[in-house]
Amino acid sequence: MSQLTEPDANDHDLVSFDPASVRSQNRAGTVAATAAFGLMRTATKMSVRGVEHLPPAGTGIIVAAYHANHLDPILVGLALKRNGRMPHFLAKSTLFTGVLGKILKIIGQIPVLRASASAGDSLEYAKDALANGQTVVIYPEGTLTKDPELWPQHFKTGTARLALETGVPIIPVAHWGLDTVYPRGQKKVRFRPFSHDSVVAFGPAIDYSDLWARRDEKKTMGDLSQRVKNTVAAMVAELSERELPQRFTAKETGE
């Protein structure tokens, strides 16, 4: 796999994952999570499944998350933080300016570097976080799914690239129920704190050991991306109690 290059000087030191920084991020994250949990509980009940699939704290992991609602980063982040894992989401580096940038840095969120020479360069900080035993959360689609039935769409290869370059576990995560609370196209949250349950589910780590010996980098990343997408889709099917569409059971294509 290609080697990463140094980020642009203007991007350098946006966030660090040395032990002192991680402790500070955890403290700030606890405050943020407490406030976020209070707000979420005014809208919906929350439940978490599959916590046993999360490796012990101190082990770097990639969390590949299903993205179908503007509220799901809060739901997924809370599920991780309340189970001993400080989430570090990938965010556009252009957000790391002003007041918002200071907040993102304080809670240890990860900039996707602008003007990178290649796609791999944008993963510099993510690799640093993983090397220091942290939890990196990636939305492989890169945006909210546009599927009218809320099935996952095309997964980009950044998640696969990061996993293959670091060897860390990929933990798939899905959720269901937020569309009832915050429907697509609506601007207001429907508050249902006692009558509706939003569920987050973590799955077993995705096995990609069979891909290590491959020489075709593009096909390897494509196949692993497809594997992650099919896994997440199957979890969405289970949570939503729907039949899994056949397109998610197809063989890996290397796209």
Side-chain angles (χ1 to χ4, degrees):
M1 296 298 170
S2 59
Q3 296 297 312
L4 300 182
T5 60
E6 278 296 308
D8 185 276
N10 293 328
D11 292 315
H12 208 57
D13 295 330
L14 285 178
V15 65
S16 176
F17 297 99
D18 61 85
S21 296
V22 168
R23 287 194 294 271
S24 177
Q25 292 159 9
N26 273 299
R27 289 194 295 269
T30 298
V31 174
T34 300
F37 181 72
L39 290 173
M40 283 294 288
R41 280 296 287 116
T42 66
T44 181
K45 294 187 293 182
M46 296 171 53
S47 61
V48 183
R49 303 177 186 174
V51 175
E52 67 276 9
H53 299 307
L54 293 175
T59 303
I61 60 171
I62 298 168
V63 172
Y66 168 61
H67 198 14
N69 193 283
H70 289 294
L71 296 180
D72 63 51
I74 300 175
L75 192 69
V76 172
L78 285 172
L80 287 165
K81 189 69 174 77
R82 292 174 67 84
N83 284 283
R85 285 276 183 173
M86 177 66 195
H88 302 281
F89 288 82
L90 266 67
K92 295 178 181 179
S93 63
T94 52
L95 296 176
F96 284 73
T97 59
V99 175
L100 176 59
K102 290 181 179 179
I103 294 172
L104 291 175
K105 185 174 181 179
I106 287 171
I107 60 176
Q109 302 312 293
I110 297 174
V112 176
L113 301 178
R114 62 186 182 274
S116 298
S118 69
D121 295 345
S122 67
L123 303 178
E124 180 74 15
Y125 289 104
K127 290 182 72 174
D128 186 27
L130 293 171
N132 284 280
Q134 299 304 298
T135 300
V136 173
V137 185
I138 302 180
Y139 285 109
E141 291 167 279
T143 184
L144 290 169
T145 179
K146 304 299 191 299
D147 186 274
E149 296 183 347
L150 299 179
W151 294 108
Q153 293 186 296
H154 175 69
F155 275 27
K156 298 179 180 180
T157 58
T159 305
R161 177 187 292 274
L162 185 59
L164 291 165
E165 290 185 347
T166 61
V168 303
I170 304 174
I171 305 296
V173 60
H175 55 82
W176 195 253
L178 283 176
D179 197 56
T180 300
V181 177
Y182 191 36
R184 184 195 298 264
Q186 299 295 313
K187 296 182 178 180
K188 294 183 179 180
V189 175
R190 297 176 178 175
F191 294 93
R192 298 183 176 184
F194 305 109
S195 61
H196 182 72
D197 197 9
S198 296
V199 184
V200 182
F202 296 102
I206 293 173
D207 182 12
Y208 58 97
S209 58
D210 59 306
L211 303 179
W212 282 109
R214 291 232 190 131
R215 294 181 180 273
D216 188 331
E217 178 179 337
K218 183 178 180 180
K219 178 172 173 52
T220 298
M221 291 193 299
D223 282 351
L224 181 51
S225 298
Q226 181 83 9
R227 190 174 299 183
V228 176
K229 181 176 71 172
N230 289 353
T231 301
V232 171
M235 295 170 66
V236 171
E238 181 177 355
L239 290 176
S240 61
E241 299 181 342
R242 297 181 294 168
E243 184 178 353
L244 181 67
Q246 188 175 1
R247 65 182 181 272
F248 295 115
T249 62
K251 292 183 180 180
E252 294 155 10
T253 63
E255 294 179 344

